[in-house]
Amino acid sequence: MNTRPLNINTGVAAALVAALLFGASAPIAKWLLEDLSPWLLAGLFYLGSGLGLTAYRRITRARPVVLQRGELGWFAGAVLAGGVVGPVLLMFGLTAMPASAAALLLNAEGLLTALLAWFVFRENVDGRIALGMGAIALGAVVLSWPQEAQLTGSWPALAVLGACLAWAIDNNLTRKVSLADATWIAAVKGIAAGSANLALALALGNRWPAWTSTALAMGVGLLAYGVSLVLFVVAMRHLGTARTGAYFSVAPFFGATLAVLTGEPLTVRLVAAGVLMAIGIGLHLTESHEHEHAHAALEHSHEHVHDEHHQHVHETAVAPGTRHTHAHRHEPMIHSHAHFPDAHHQGHTH
C-alpha cells in the first residue's frame, strides 16, 4: 500500500501554534466577559496585541518596514476590512441575535477565506485539499452547534456573515504583503482593530474596566491575537491563504479541549469534532502537489536563505544557510518539485 509522507513544515507548525494560542484564549475570554462587554474585550485584546508588538519591535530595534510598490493598497484594504468593517458588522448582528447563533455563523470565516483564495485569487486547490477543508469546517460546525439557535430574522445573520466575509477578505489581502515583517503587520492591524472596537464600546456606553482586568485582557491579547497573527502571517508565506485558514480553523477545538482539561465535561460533540478535524488535517498533511512549473522574473525583498529559488549573487559573500534580507531578483526558471502555493509559487497554471 502506498502511503504519503507528512508535510509538516514551518508553515504547518506556525498555523497550528497560531490556532492553539487563539483557541486557548477562549476560556479566559469567557471568564473576562463576566465583567466586560464583547466589544470592550475585543478592543483590549486587539490593542494589547498592537501595543505589545510595537514595544517588542522597539526593544529589538526592528528595521522600519517599507512596503513594496503596490502593496500599500492591499494592506490598507486588509486593515479596513478586518479591523473596522468586520467588528462593526459583528456588533450589528450580535445586538439582534443570540450569541449561540452568532457563534455558529462565525464558522463561515474559514470557508469564505478558502473560497476567496481559490476562486478569486486563483490559489491552487485539488479535491484532497477541498475535502480536508470541508471536514475541518464540518468539525467546527459540530463543535459550535447550539441546543437552540434562533436567528430572529435574516438581517442580523447577514451582518454576521458579512463580518466573516470582511475577515476572509482581510486574510486574502494580508497574503499580498505576507513577506513583510510579520510583527509589523500584526502591530498595525492590532492598533487599528483595537481602536475601532474600543470606540464602538465607549460609544455604546461601556465604562473603562479596572486596571487588573485591563492588564489581563491586553496580556492575553498580545499572545492570542498578536503572536497568533504573526504566526498566521508566517504560515501564509509557506502554505498560502486557504491552507493556512484550514489549519487555523481548528482553534475552537483547542479551546474546547483546554476547557475540558480545566474541569468541563468531555462530550460526544467534542470527540466527533476532533475526529472530523483530524481527518481534515490528515488530508492536508499528506498532500503531495508536484509538477513542472515556470517561475517568471520577480523582484521583491524578504528574509531568505540561498536555496533552489534564491541563487542570486552578493557583493559580500553570505555563508550558506544564513538568513538575510534584501531586495533581490528571481530569474525565470522552469523545474519540477513538490510545493505549496507559497510566496514563490503563485500564478502558474495547472
Side-chain angles (χ1 to χ4, degrees):
M1 181 176 67
N2 294 325
T3 59
R4 301 191 184 204
L6 296 181
N7 288 321
I8 304 178
N9 63 11
T10 300
V12 173
L16 289 176
V17 175
L20 174 60
L21 287 172
F22 186 76
S25 69
I28 302 175
K30 183 177 179 180
W31 176 66
L32 286 170
L33 283 172
E34 295 178 2
D35 299 317
L36 305 176
S37 74
W39 305 281
L40 188 60
L41 182 58
L44 292 174
F45 275 168
Y46 279 119
L47 197 62
S49 72
L51 295 179
L53 289 173
T54 298
Y56 166 80
R57 289 180 54 78
R58 289 186 178 276
I59 292 171
T60 59
R61 298 182 179 180
R63 295 181 179 180
V65 172
V66 178
L67 295 178
Q68 301 295 305
R69 181 179 300 177
E71 290 183 334
L72 184 59
W74 295 118
F75 187 55
V79 172
L80 178 63
V84 180
V85 176
V88 170
L89 288 174
L90 180 61
M91 182 200 71
F92 178 78
L94 286 175
T95 57
M97 71 185 305
S100 60
L104 182 61
L105 290 174
L106 285 172
N107 290 312
E109 180 187 346
L111 183 59
L112 290 173
T113 294
L115 292 175
L116 285 177
W118 294 335
F119 296 107
V120 177
F121 293 91
R122 300 299 181 183
E123 191 170 291
N124 165 254
V125 61
D126 56 26
R128 186 183 194 86
I129 292 301
L131 184 60
M133 180 70 223
I136 293 171
L138 182 58
V141 170
V142 168
L143 187 61
S144 62
W145 193 274
Q147 297 293 332
E148 183 178 354
Q150 298 177 351
L151 298 183
T152 64
S154 60
W155 285 111
L158 289 175
V160 174
L161 290 175
C164 292
L165 178 60
W167 288 317
I169 292 172
D170 172 14
N171 293 336
N172 279 277
L173 296 185
T174 299
R175 163 74 187 279
K176 297 289 188 179
V177 298
S178 62
L179 290 180
D181 189 321
T183 61
W184 178 82
I185 292 174
V188 173
K189 294 178 73 172
I191 290 174
S195 300
N197 279 278
L198 284 176
L200 289 171
L202 296 175
L204 290 170
N206 290 271
R207 296 181 179 180
W208 199 266
W211 71 268
T212 51
S213 297
T214 300
L216 178 58
M218 294 181 72
V220 172
L222 174 59
L223 293 174
Y225 285 63
V227 177
S228 178
L229 179 55
V230 170
L231 292 171
F232 188 90
V233 173
V234 170
M236 284 198 292
R237 294 176 188 168
H238 294 272
L239 303 176
T241 310
R243 288 161 178 79
T244 300
Y247 286 118
F248 191 77
S249 293
V250 305
F253 176 77
F254 285 139
T257 301
L258 180 61
V260 169
L261 294 176
T262 56
E264 291 194 9
L266 178 65
T267 64
V268 174
R269 179 184 301 181
L270 177 59
V271 174
V275 170
L276 285 167
M277 289 181 173
I279 292 172
I281 290 176
L283 288 170
H284 278 239
L285 288 178
T286 53
E287 174 189 12
S288 181
H289 179 74
E290 181 173 355
H291 62 93
E292 185 176 84
H293 54 277
H295 293 271
L298 173 67
E299 290 188 27
H300 60 185
S301 176
H302 65 95
E303 187 180 55
H304 61 278
V305 296
H306 286 173
D307 54 22
E308 62 181 320
H309 295 101
H310 297 89
Q311 298 294 332
H312 50 266
V313 297
H314 292 262
E315 294 182 1
T316 304
V318 175
T322 302
R323 302 195 70 83
H324 55 288
T325 303
H326 64 89
H328 55 277
R329 174 181 172 83
H330 294 269
E331 298 299 334
M333 177 191 301
I334 298 177
H335 62 176
S336 176
H337 64 96
H339 59 279
F340 293 101
D342 58 25
H344 296 97
H345 296 90
Q346 302 178 48
H348 60 252
T349 57
H350 292 85

